[in-house]
Amino acid sequence: MRTADVVIIGGGIVGASIAYHLTAAGCRSVLILERESAQGKGSTGKSMGGVRAQFSTDVNIQMSLYSIPFYRDFEADLGHPSGYRGQGYLFLATTQRQLDYLRSNQERQHALGLRQARMIAREEVASDYPQLRTDDVMGASFCPTDGFVDPYSAMTGFTSWAIDHGAEIWRSAEVTAIELDSSGIAAIHTSKGTAQTRVVVNAAGAWAASVAQLAGIELPVVPLRRMLVPTEPWDAFPHTAPMIIDMSNGFHFRPEARGLLFAWNDPEEQPGFNTSFDEAFVEKILLRAANRVPSFAEVPINPKRAWAGLYEMTPDHHAIIGPAPGVPGFFLANGFSGHGVMHAPATGKVIADLILTGKTDVADVHKFRLQRFAEGDLIHETALL
Ligand SMILES: Cc1cc2nc3c(=O)[nH]c(=O)nc-3n(C[C@H](O)[C@H](O)[C@H](O)COP(=O)(O)OP(=O)(O)OC[C@H]3O[C@@H](n4cnc5c(N)ncnc54)[C@H](O)[C@@H]3O)c2cc1C
């Protein structure tokens, strides 16, 4: 039987970041358990890779203020590229309400130290991106340090560094039972064998609720399908563009390889584990795309290259991070609601801090406690994509 100081269930970007931050802090006896034969087959390998600090709640802004510079310096510090490109996020407001909302978010962001975020007038948007239809744009917000990463590469970089510094990963190891004794966590049983430990972290992404259930914890995390549509090579929109978000309907897009990547969250999508791509979605998204960028009516799309993955949603669209109440030694890093890649570095640091010292100064993570749902103390984030 293997023993480990900390066992991490799930080898996606969140589990990998936790393993990195633990080993970097000197905790070398770390074991990652991944049920697939390779990492990245969960949401991490399906992600759009967007990273932004333009949020409306302090705690999400704080998580990004740790994570984005971390991704920027990733290669220098870990010797592996994160693929970070600081091309920014540009939110286009089409009503006065949206514009006021962006402004008040930005005041909050500035107060927390994000000085680079700024408001942009319609004329500047129109001159920078004449391809956009701007007649209904009231203004915009832009932050140049927002941008994109390569989630798969970052996950691999975190894992390799952790393994080089003492951590271990078991692949094809599905967690089937969590053994408890009078002190809390005692052992983790997998399809590949048992690991004895006093500390375990649930980093099982969209499957986190069933893992938590193994320890008798009810976790309000549900899977929700999200679809992405890449275009074929397309030079009629600059490849240096930011992520551009049309707030009138939620359509957003960014440069990807020699083309673009289109995203839109269909409000009719119902929770579930379905990850098949629905070809009817192409028409729905193109309608919105061409409404903002008329030339997108002509953009070539091969639906066979499009894909779907799962968001891990919580009732208030904020993560659940911290110790699980009633089960000593059980930690949660779940429910990122579409922000798991951008907040993976901060989550790894927070979980490592909480395990090793019982506190953290990355963010006010008390807000992320699981108990908030029972207490009715939800966090309201409205800047969702
Ligand atoms: C289409 C799409 C676009 C997205 N865009 C963005 C974006 O732009 N920016 C952003 O920040 N986020 C984005 N996200 C969300 C982001 O991808 C996720 O929040 C993030 O990848 C979660 O990482 P994770 O490590 O928690 O989960 P995962 O990557 O899903 O990893 C969890 C792992 O746990 C393993 N596992 C599950 N159950 C068990 C078990 N019983 N035993 C052992 N292993 C188990 C799984 O196999 C999996 O590998 C997007 C998601 C999708 C689907």
Side-chain angles (χ1 to χ4, degrees):
M1 193 188 292
R2 167 80 152 87
T3 61
D5 288 349
V6 182
V7 167
I8 299 164
I9 303 175
I13 197 164
V14 171
S17 170
I18 295 166
Y20 162 80
H21 280 89
L22 282 166
T23 47
C27 173
R28 302 287 155 104
S29 173
V30 173
L31 174 63
I32 304 174
L33 302 173
E34 171 52 56
R35 76 170 162 205
E36 301 290 345
S37 57
Q39 289 175 268
K41 292 191 173 179
S43 304
T44 300
K46 310 286 170 54
S47 172
M48 196 174 191
V51 296
R52 63 175 161 123
Q54 291 188 81
F55 278 103
S56 70
T57 61
D58 287 6
V59 73
N60 271 347
I61 298 167
Q62 289 166 332
M63 293 292 280
S64 296
L65 289 181
Y66 178 90
S67 297
I68 294 175
F70 191 98
Y71 277 132
R72 182 196 60 208
D73 299 339
F74 199 96
E75 187 159 8
D77 294 340
L78 279 77
H80 191 99
S82 70
Y84 170 72
R85 283 186 285 156
Q87 293 185 202
Y89 263 55
L90 178 68
F91 286 85
L92 304 177
T94 55
T95 64
Q96 188 59 44
R97 208 160 151 244
Q98 289 166 356
L99 194 60
D100 293 344
Y101 170 75
L102 290 177
R103 256 201 206 105
S104 77
N105 289 353
Q106 208 163 84
E107 280 163 19
R108 208 174 262 261
Q109 293 152 16
H110 286 167
L112 288 167
L114 184 70
R115 302 303 313 168
Q116 304 93 325
R118 62 189 178 96
M119 298 305 291
I120 292 193
R122 180 204 5 226
E123 294 69 28
E124 191 179 339
V125 174
S127 106
D128 286 351
Y129 301 105
Q131 303 85 350
L132 292 170
R133 185 177 63 77
T134 48
D135 56 333
D136 61 344
V137 171
M138 308 274 299
S141 75
F142 178 70
C143 181
T145 48
D146 291 349
F148 339 118
V149 297
D150 176 341
Y152 187 88
S153 183
M155 177 193 71
T156 309
F158 277 134
T159 310
S160 313
W161 200 98
I163 288 173
D164 288 348
H165 293 81
E168 194 186 337
I169 182 164
W170 289 0
R171 298 185 182 81
S172 305
E174 176 164 12
V175 171
T176 51
I178 296 178
E179 194 180 315
L180 305 173
D181 65 13
S182 55
S183 311
I185 297 289
I188 310 298
H189 299 278
T190 81
S191 52
K192 214 170 181 171
T194 296
Q196 227 169 17
T197 189
R198 284 290 177 196
V199 180
V200 65
V201 186
N202 181 354
W207 302 271
S210 57
V211 166
Q213 191 67 64
L214 298 175
I217 298 285
E218 288 296 325
L219 197 64
V221 173
V222 296
L224 187 65
R225 179 173 68 165
R226 293 298 193 209
M227 292 184 270
L228 294 179
V229 177
T231 72
E232 296 298 287
W234 180 259
D235 289 327
F237 207 96
H239 296 293
T240 50
M243 180 86 79
I244 298 180
I245 302 101
D246 178 351
M247 292 178 77
S248 73
N249 58 23
F251 168 71
H252 52 291
F253 67 100
R254 70 165 176 86
E256 164 74 7
R258 292 176 54 215
L260 300 160
L261 192 53
F262 287 175
W264 173 65
N265 296 330
D266 189 340
E268 286 175 15
E269 194 67 47
Q270 295 299 313
F273 284 100
N274 178 13
T275 53
S276 59
F277 181 78
D278 173 8
E279 292 203 4
F281 183 71
V282 173
E283 202 178 316
K284 287 192 194 178
I285 203 167
L286 273 180
L287 202 69
R288 284 147 182 103
N291 181 51
R292 183 54 56 201
V293 184
S295 60
F296 284 170
E298 309 299 326
V299 76
I301 304 261
N302 175 1
K304 300 278 177 271
R305 292 183 54 237
W307 69 89
L310 300 171
Y311 270 20
E312 333 81 14
M313 304 300 289
T314 66
D316 64 359
H317 309 124
H318 271 73
I320 299 168
I321 302 175
V327 184
F330 193 35
F331 287 80
L332 307 167
N334 305 120
F336 292 93
S337 306
H339 311 136
V341 166
M342 66 183 89
H343 287 166
T347 302
K349 172 75 172 138
V350 166
I351 291 285
D353 284 349
L354 294 179
I355 290 174
L356 300 175
T357 70
K359 58 186 173 35
T360 186
D361 59 9
V362 170
D364 178 15
V365 294
H366 180 69
K367 294 242 171 0
F368 287 145
R369 72 200 183 286
L370 171 60
Q371 296 92 314
R372 73 182 186 269
F373 300 105
E375 294 164 5
D377 185 20
L378 305 194
I379 325 167
H380 293 289
E381 171 63 76
T382 40
L384 295 173
L385 293 180

